[in-house]
Amino acid sequence: VARTLEFYFDFISPYGYLGSLGIVEVAARHGCKVDWRPTLLGVSVMGVMGLPPLGETPLKGPYMANDFPRCFRLQGVPLKMGGNGSMAPLPAGRAFSWIKAQDRSAAVRFAQRVYRGQWSEGIDMSSVDNLAAAGEALGFDRRELIAALDDPEVKALHRASVDAAIELGVFGVPTFHIDGELFWGHDRLPHVDRWLATGGW
Amino acid sequence: VARTLEFYFDFISPYGYLGSLGIVEVAARHGCKVDWRPTLLGVSVMGVMGLPPLGETPLKGPYMANDFPRCFRLQGVPLKMGGNGSMAPLPAGRAFSWIKAQDRSAAVRFAQRVYRGQWSEGIDMSSVDNLAAAGEALGFDRRELIAALDDPEVKALHRASVDAAIELGVFGVPTFHIDGELFWGHDRLPHVDRWLATGGW
């Protein structure tokens, strides 16, 4: 039986994007399934932790602005940011939850499109039109997807995912959850790799 | 001519300790010198950034309490905390600055003793007596070291190091500075290694 690793993400984070690329490879190496679960840093970091957004944090904001492009370059991942790098991740998260309820595999492909568009292709994925186009490319109806973004049931479904992530202790992205252990950061992928290989230490 | 990397540390951080162990190996591999420079997270994180101490931050505090022992185990570094893991790093930082002004190499050995004592040997390195013993083992006079901790010149020297670190943009530890680039976190050591090998990317 394949093990399942939970991957917590928020489209707002370029580190989350790097994590989404890396976990595919790491999980495949160990025959591990990945369950993609959305969260929102606006709720965990600003709401629960009471911290300012990372980009606006003195010292750390400027550091991050240099560090994440350096990480992209090191990994050979194109960096071309949609919306000048600022993103409202709520519509994309809700669209993901709506798709996931119908087809988990399509939801992963949708998330990968959103991440790649926002961070590697310069497409503003805060835009409902662009989200609808991403859904359409996967066979989902444009108007249904747009309607879903305001559907109270979809909103509740997405919010329940965010609340469950925070209940588990997830505060930042990417976070990987396996065997009751949380690993936070794309720079913890080597630890996840080792954990999956050895069963822990 | 050997290049010099600046290593910013605070004895309060177990990640700083892991970084202090790792940078020795990475720097040696590239024939790079390391300049050990003290900072204080109490000034950068709490003072300048306006954030609570990491251990008291919701979600992140509990995460860290699990993550750093997991990092120690993975690296085979013994974890036995002085003072139940809480540390007042100011006296140790001042003692370091006092020693560094006399003998840079002895200061590195002192810092390594303090880190190892606090995090691997269960010795409370907030204690002036224990700091004096660490200095004595390196040939420094016990009473002179203790007097230095309250010497306004030593205080100012140490504070100037902290201010210079923050002016450079250092907010957390370990931070590595080379070629104008900051790398924060012991998990960025592979990037430092690559940077030193390639001259950047």
Side-chain angles (χ1 to χ4, degrees), chain B residues 33-96:
Chain B
K33 292 185 181 179
V34 180
D35 183 11
W36 290 51
R37 300 190 173 197
T39 187
L40 289 170
L41 301 189
V43 180
S44 61
V45 174
M46 288 185 271
V48 179
M49 300 162 84
L51 306 182
L54 186 48
E56 294 166 24
T57 304
L59 302 174
K60 205 170 188 175
Y63 172 79
M64 186 194 70
N66 184 57
D67 178 66
F68 84 79
R70 196 173 59 194
C71 291
F72 273 61
R73 292 196 307 272
L74 180 61
Q75 299 194 21
V77 177
L79 176 60
K80 191 178 170 191
M81 301 188 281
N84 285 318
S86 87
M87 196 211 182
L90 190 53
R94 286 180 179 159
F96 172 87

Side-chain angles (χ1 to χ4, degrees), chain A residues 32 35 42 51 67 80 95 111 143 163 167 171 183 189 194 199:
Chain A
C32 183
D35 182 11
L51 306 182
D67 177 67
K80 191 177 171 194
R143 278 171 308 181
D163 289 342
E167 177 66 27
F171 54 93
F183 296 88
L189 275 169
R194 175 82 168 260

Side-chain angles (χ1 to χ4, degrees), chain A residues 47-75:
Chain A
V48 179
M49 299 162 85
L51 306 182
L54 185 48
E56 293 165 24
T57 304
L59 304 173
K60 203 170 189 176
Y63 171 79
M64 186 193 69
N66 184 57
D67 177 67
F68 84 80
R70 196 172 59 195
C71 291
F72 273 61
R73 292 196 307 274
L74 180 60
Q75 299 194 21

Side-chain angles (χ1 to χ4, degrees), chain B residues 149-166:
Chain B
L149 301 182
D150 283 319
D151 182 332
E153 271 189 44
V154 174
K155 289 182 182 182
L157 183 66
H158 181 248
R159 180 61 196 223
S161 289
V162 173
D163 289 342
I166 292 169

